[in-house]
Amino acid sequence: MPAHALKRPTLLALCACVLVAQSMVAAINLLIPQLSSSSLHPSHSEILWTVDAYVIAFAGLLIPAGALGDRHGRKGALLAGLGLFAAGAATSAFAPDPAVLIAGRGLSGAGAALITPSTMSIMIQLSAPEHRARTMAAWTLSIGLGGAAGNLGGGLVGQYLTWRALFAAMIPLAALLALAVAVTTPRTDRSEHSNLDPLGTVLLTAGLVAVLFGIIEGPAYGWSSARILGSFGAGGLLVAFFTVHALRSPEPLFDPRVFASARLRAASLGTATGFFGLFALFFVNSQYLQGIKGFDAALTGVAIMPLTFGMALVPKLSARWAGHPRAVVGAGLALIGLGLLAASTADAGTPYWTYTCWLLVISAGTGLSMPALTLGVLTSLPAHQAGLGSGLGTTARETGAALGVAVTGTVLSAHTDLTHGMGPALRTVGLVVLAATALVVAGYGTRTTTRTTPAACEDRAPLPPRPGRS
């Protein structure tokens, strides 16, 4: 397959898949009031699991899902992911009780874990090297638009329809996307060098799920509770066991020594940092607009749409300045942090248009930094591991998002109400983003590069030969 084979219909179909998968992370949040009063009569814990099951399955399975696509075919993995996504949506739409609803959410999350790395990997494989920065800008725009579309869709459904309608709508939509992918997307070469490593997959997936559970449930159970400390401890041990296993295995899921690359560490931290800030904003935004400003659910979904403007327009600048990733990433993340600090001053008397200006600053920072960060992860790995690279980057993204919600929720819980807690919460997140930005900029170093092939990363540390290989 020639490198320049990425056509516009293929690009649109793949970006639409990413947008839909990401939208279901955010959409459910605006339906919590309706779910709570529904005929299912879910408990508070079951509501939390309805929200979290998708994210935990999504983020926990991304790395092995990316490796699966590299090894056995990215188009096939994408189509399988759309099938799982639709099956999970159908399970949720017709759920007779909360347990089935939660199971459906988890199944859809597993489908999203196959969809996301497959789309990025296909786009990278089909793009000419000089166009890859622009391709990544389109992919990361789809991620941002997915979050906004989820808020809008969830708000409209919550206002005019029932929560079951949201899941039911995903079934024909996933089928339509599968048809578009089947028609427009060519198959890419499989990688004989990617390995599934069943034991490594189980260890890493279980470790990530345990850590994510601790992050997501920490505010609910208390960060010092036995359940949360045990979850973090188990996750740390499982990831440590995976690392030992991968270093000894002749064919691991991935070699942990790839993190010897300062660029990969910085790009992963930067990706997590950006979404840490963005999802902290998502978490308080609907509560602020509805609880303090008095907007209804549908208007709240519309009111966050200015976040898409910077994500849509600024990535063009990011692609143009792809040869200066340190400056682009640093400026973008700094804008996110500064925008959050400005948004922390919002109260009941703040005009919506003033609040919108701060949303635009955060949006511009996201649109500027995320394409460069995504490309930074990919250029730190060989070309045949594009799916794995996408899995690593998206895992960082979803982990950062979960942390943003958890930290914000923890700070809010220490105050009497949202009016008094929103400012401290967003200030805390904004300061963390700015501090992490300094680490990311330092990790990128002072050198720049205009090479954008996944195999080209001038600061990637050489790996010692593995046992059993020449």
Side-chain angles (χ1 to χ4, degrees):
M1 183 64 61
H4 58 276
L6 183 62
K7 307 298 183 184
R8 183 174 294 274
T10 305
L11 177 65
L12 292 175
L14 296 176
C15 286
C17 291
V18 176
L19 188 153
V20 170
Q22 189 67 35
S23 71
M24 291 304 285
V25 176
I28 193 68
N29 292 306
L30 279 81
L31 297 178
I32 289 176
Q34 193 182 97
L35 271 170
S36 299
S37 60
S38 70
S39 60
L40 296 186
H41 303 297
S43 66
H44 177 68
S45 176
E46 288 168 335
I47 287 288
L48 288 177
W49 274 105
T50 300
V51 174
D52 297 341
Y54 186 91
V55 177
I56 289 175
F58 184 14
L61 294 170
L62 276 164
I63 293 175
L68 178 69
D70 285 341
R71 179 73 175 184
H72 292 290
R74 301 172 181 97
K75 182 177 180 179
L78 174 55
L79 292 172
L82 289 167
L84 279 177
F85 183 85
T91 302
S92 297
F94 300 105
D97 55 57
V100 176
L101 173 62
I102 292 167
R105 288 280 290 166
L107 188 59
S108 287
L114 282 166
I115 292 169
T116 304
S118 297
T119 53
M120 181 193 285
S121 185
I122 291 171
M123 290 163 70
I124 284 293
Q125 293 292 319
L126 297 181
S127 295
E130 64 272 17
H131 295 151
R132 282 177 181 152
R134 189 165 57 195
T135 299
M136 285 301 93
W139 191 88
T140 52
L141 170 62
S142 301
I143 292 282
L145 291 178
N151 278 278
L152 177 61
L156 292 173
V157 169
Q159 186 75 23
Y160 301 112
L161 301 171
T162 71
W163 62 268
R164 293 184 188 273
L166 175 69
F167 298 111
M170 294 298 109
I171 304 169
L173 182 56
L176 182 62
L177 289 173
L179 177 61
V181 168
V183 171
T184 66
T185 305
R187 296 190 180 274
T188 58
D189 294 335
R190 302 181 184 183
S191 172
E192 298 300 324
H193 303 287
S194 294
N195 308 298
L196 294 181
D197 182 17
L199 177 58
T201 296
V202 170
L203 289 172
L204 183 59
T205 300
L208 288 174
V209 167
V211 170
L212 284 166
F213 174 86
I215 291 172
I216 291 171
E217 303 294 342
Y221 292 103
W223 294 103
S224 60
S225 68
R227 185 189 298 249
I228 299 304
L229 292 178
S231 178
F232 283 132
L237 282 175
L238 287 166
V239 172
F241 288 152
F242 165 78
T243 302
V244 172
H245 164 76
L247 290 173
R248 293 179 175 178
S249 172
E251 295 185 335
L253 178 65
F254 76 94
D255 191 334
R257 289 173 292 184
V258 297
F259 285 102
S261 165
R263 178 65 56 86
L264 178 59
R265 295 196 303 271
S268 299
L269 175 60
T271 300
T273 298
F275 274 73
F276 173 79
L278 192 61
F279 271 74
L281 175 69
F282 283 158
F283 183 73
V284 301
N285 180 75
S286 61
Q287 298 179 67
Y288 169 70
L289 293 175
Q290 292 184 84
I292 297 179
K293 299 297 288 182
F295 292 11
D296 60 32
L299 184 57
T300 297
V302 174
I304 200 176
M305 292 307 290
L307 266 175
T308 65
F309 298 162
M311 295 178 190
L313 300 176
V314 178
K316 294 181 180 180
L317 297 177
S318 179
R320 184 177 302 172
W321 298 332
H324 306 279
R326 189 187 192 208
V328 169
V329 166
L333 292 179
L335 284 175
I336 295 174
L338 293 173
L340 288 167
L341 292 179
S344 72
T345 64
D347 56 26
T350 302
Y352 170 70
W353 296 112
T354 301
Y355 185 68
T356 298
C357 291
W358 301 330
L359 295 184
L360 290 173
V361 171
I362 296 169
S363 174
T366 304
L368 187 62
S369 60
M370 287 303 142
L373 288 166
T374 302
L375 199 60
V377 173
L378 289 175
T379 56
S380 300
L381 294 170
H384 67 264
Q385 290 185 316
L388 174 61
S390 173
L392 287 171
T394 310
T395 299
R397 182 179 293 110
E398 297 303 321
T399 302
L403 270 172
V405 172
V407 170
T408 305
T410 299
V411 177
L412 285 176
S413 67
H415 293 80
T416 55
D417 53 35
L418 180 67
T419 302
H420 294 91
M422 178 176 164
L426 290 183
R427 277 194 294 276
T428 300
V429 172
L431 290 173
V432 171
V433 168
L434 292 175
T437 298
L439 296 176
V440 172
V441 171
Y444 262 82
T446 57
R447 291 179 297 172
T448 61
T449 178
T450 57
R451 293 182 295 172
T452 56
T453 61
C457 178
E458 82 278 6
D459 70 344
R460 183 172 59 203
L463 302 180
R466 304 192 59 80
R469 289 185 180 180
S470 58

